[in-house]
């Protein structure tokens, strides 16, 4: 699945890397928590099995994730998915923060560590997601399609 593009697989080219989508029928929808979970799984599998293909897939996903992750930061909360810019629910915000912390521990990449700290701070400061942006079509609150 990680080698093939939708609708058969989940690999979508993103710059010099690959984004692994959650919904192969909606390949334009980029769900951050699912993507980070996928590359974390690839990292762990590659490390445990010494599998070169998994390592290569992780590196392709990691390149895309490092570039894409900051785009999900509103400055007050996280977006669940792009390009629709729906705000994460509380549960998805906490979930994605955990995935960022996991990747920070595994890779030491500044973007994962910094974003994890920011998202954790938003959770402490906000308590709940900020209200949706009144601009039509932006900042809706959801954690699903």
């Amino acid at each position: 699945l990680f080698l093939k593009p939708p609708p058969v697989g989940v690999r979508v080219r993103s710059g010099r890397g690959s984004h692994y989508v959650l919904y192969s029928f909606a390949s334009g929808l980029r769900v951050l928590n699912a993507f980070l979970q996928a590359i974390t799984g690839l990292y762990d599998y590659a490390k445990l099995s010494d599998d070169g293909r998994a390592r290569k897939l992780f590196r392709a996903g990691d390149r895309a994730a490092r570039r894409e992750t900051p785009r999900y930061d509103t400055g007050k909360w996280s977006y669940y998915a792009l390009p629709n810019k729906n705000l994460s629910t509380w549960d998805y915000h906490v979930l994605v923060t955990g995935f960022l912390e996991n990747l920070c521990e595994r890779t030491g990449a500044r973007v994962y560590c910094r974003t994890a700290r920011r998202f954790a701070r938003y959770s402490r400061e906000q308590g709940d997601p900020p209200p949706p942006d009144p601009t039509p079509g932006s900042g809706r609150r959801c954690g699903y399609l």
Side-chain angles (χ1 to χ4, degrees), residues 76-77 90 93-94 97 116-128:
K76 295 180 182 179
W77 204 251
W90 171 265
H93 182 80
V94 171
T97 303
R117 285 191 302 270
R118 287 174 61 97
F119 284 8
R121 181 171 41 95
Y122 300 159
S123 299
R124 288 189 306 275
E125 291 174 356
Q126 294 286 135
D128 285 315

Side-chain angles (χ1 to χ4, degrees), residues 28-94:
L29 186 66
R30 309 296 169 89
V31 179
L32 182 60
N33 72 74
F35 181 34
L36 298 179
Q37 184 178 25
I39 64 172
T40 300
L42 286 167
Y43 178 94
D44 290 348
Y45 179 75
K47 186 171 183 173
L48 292 170
S49 67
D50 196 30
D51 185 291
R53 181 180 281 178
R55 205 171 10 265
K56 184 178 177 182
L57 291 168
F58 164 75
R59 283 195 303 264
D62 182 53
R63 275 192 301 275
R66 288 180 191 217
R67 191 180 64 260
E68 294 175 17
T69 294
R71 298 178 192 160
Y72 291 83
D73 187 347
T74 72
K76 295 180 182 179
W77 204 251
S78 63
Y79 289 124
Y80 170 74
L82 295 176
N84 64 7
K85 295 188 176 182
N86 287 339
L87 294 176
S88 296
T89 62
W90 171 265
D91 292 338
Y92 279 112
H93 182 80
V94 171

Side-chain angles (χ1 to χ4, degrees), residues 95-122:
L95 181 68
V96 80
T97 303
F99 291 142
L100 287 163
E101 290 168 346
N102 290 338
L103 284 165
C104 172
E105 290 171 13
R106 285 164 172 79
T107 68
R110 286 181 46 205
V111 67
Y112 300 138
C113 300
R114 184 175 45 239
T115 307
R117 285 191 302 270
R118 287 174 61 97
F119 284 8
R121 181 171 41 95
Y122 300 159

